[in-house]
């Protein structure tokens, strides 16, 4: 079963995201984390529900944020899987994000989400200072497909159980792309896509070092 919206549990958070309609990405993140009605346990399906009226960029950002920080086992992998799904849905030209029900029911505590948002928002705000609508070619169908392919690669890497800091470089690249999408800034999107190449190279090097170490022990 696939869920386009969550059918129970976080209507207050969804309403908070729709009501104030923050103009900047950082404001939206703080509203989601620190809203007075934010529940104790936030499920992945709840987040998609609260952002269903928003762009792919904002949905991607919410799930890329935990990937750029050291997190308890399983969270980065689940978020990476969602980024992968978002990428596939962008490539398919779908209008919104859908999650399989088992994935939509996974969640984390409100305090964990708040800690993550507090650590990432200052970096998002730095990006916002240089963001402005430009390079509209990245906003069309071809640009969306290119972004979708890049996020597909990043999501796949994040979802893999690569040790040490394997999910952090692609998580950071995904955040830059997501902020660029949210702020309609094609230049920032291209910077994020370039950062993706570096992230893939770094993660591949770490993965190969682990594999080589294991082979030497055989």
């Amino acid at each position: 079963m696939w869920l386009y919206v969550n059918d129970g549990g976080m209507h207050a958070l969804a309403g908070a995201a729709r009501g104030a309609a923050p103009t900047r990405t950082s404001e939206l993140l703080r509203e989601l984390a620190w809203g007075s009605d934010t529940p104790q346990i936030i499920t992945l399906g709840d987040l998609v529900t609260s952002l269903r009226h928003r762009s792919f960029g904002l949905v991607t950002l919410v799930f890329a944020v935990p990937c750029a920080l050291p997190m308890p086992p399983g969270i980065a992998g689940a978020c990476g899987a969602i980024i992968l799904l978002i990428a596939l849905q962008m490539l398919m030209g779908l209008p919104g994000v859908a999650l399989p029900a088992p994935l939509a029911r996974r969640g984390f505590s409100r305090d964990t989400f708040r800690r993550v948002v507090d650590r990432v928002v200052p970096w998002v705000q730095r990006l916002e200072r240089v963001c402005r609508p430009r390079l509209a070619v990245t906003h069309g169908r071809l640009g969306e497909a290119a972004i979708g392919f890049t996020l597909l690669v990043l999501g796949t890497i994040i979802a893999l159980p690569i040790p040490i800091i394997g999910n952090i470089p692609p998580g950071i690249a995904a955040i830059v792309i997501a902020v660029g999408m949210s702020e309609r800034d094609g230049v920032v999107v291209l910077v994020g896509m370039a950062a993706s190449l570096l992230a893939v190279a770094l993660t591949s090097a770490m993965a190969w070092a682990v594999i080589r170490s294991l082979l030497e022990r055989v």
Side-chain angles (χ1 to χ4, degrees):
M1 179 180 177
W2 288 69
L3 301 179
Y4 277 90
V5 296
N6 185 21
D7 57 4
M10 201 171 175
H11 301 296
L13 181 55
R18 287 194 300 270
T23 58
R24 301 312 297 262
T25 304
S26 58
E27 294 173 9
L28 175 63
L29 287 174
R30 287 199 180 278
E31 180 67 26
L32 290 175
W34 293 95
S36 59
D37 295 318
T38 302
Q40 291 288 341
I41 300 297
I42 303 173
T43 70
L44 302 182
D46 288 337
L47 285 174
V48 169
T49 299
S50 68
L51 297 170
R52 66 182 182 273
H53 65 298
R54 300 279 176 171
S55 68
F56 275 109
L58 285 169
V59 180
T60 301
L61 177 63
V62 167
F63 292 107
V65 163
C67 303
L69 298 169
M71 295 293 291
I75 291 181
C79 290
I82 293 175
I83 292 173
L84 194 156
L85 287 174
I86 292 171
L88 287 173
Q89 290 163 18
M90 289 180 67
L91 288 170
M92 294 168 63
L94 297 183
V97 179
L99 297 181
L103 193 57
R105 287 192 289 265
R106 297 192 65 171
F108 40 84
S109 71
R110 178 179 62 189
D111 290 342
T112 296
F113 186 59
R114 286 176 172 176
R115 285 196 299 270
V116 169
V117 168
D118 281 345
R119 291 182 64 179
V120 170
V121 158
W123 296 97
V124 173
Q125 289 173 329
R126 290 186 180 95
L127 275 175
E128 287 174 340
R129 293 190 190 107
V130 301
C131 283
R132 62 181 186 273
R134 52 185 167 176
L135 200 60
V137 68
T138 59
H139 311 322
R141 185 68 192 95
L142 185 60
E144 188 174 279
I147 295 169
F149 177 78
T150 304
L151 291 176
L152 181 69
V153 174
L154 294 176
T156 301
I157 294 174
I158 293 169
L160 294 174
I162 300 175
I164 312 175
I165 57 170
N167 59 290
I168 294 179
I172 292 172
I175 286 176
V176 176
I177 292 173
V179 172
M181 291 171 64
S182 301
E183 301 291 328
R184 307 286 292 175
D185 192 331
V187 172
V188 172
V189 169
L190 292 179
V191 169
M193 294 174 76
S196 301
L197 297 176
L198 179 60
V200 171
L202 287 173
T203 307
S204 299
M206 286 187 287
W208 172 243
V210 172
I211 293 172
R212 186 172 60 182
S213 176
L214 291 174
L215 291 175
E216 289 174 351
R217 295 178 184 177
V218 175

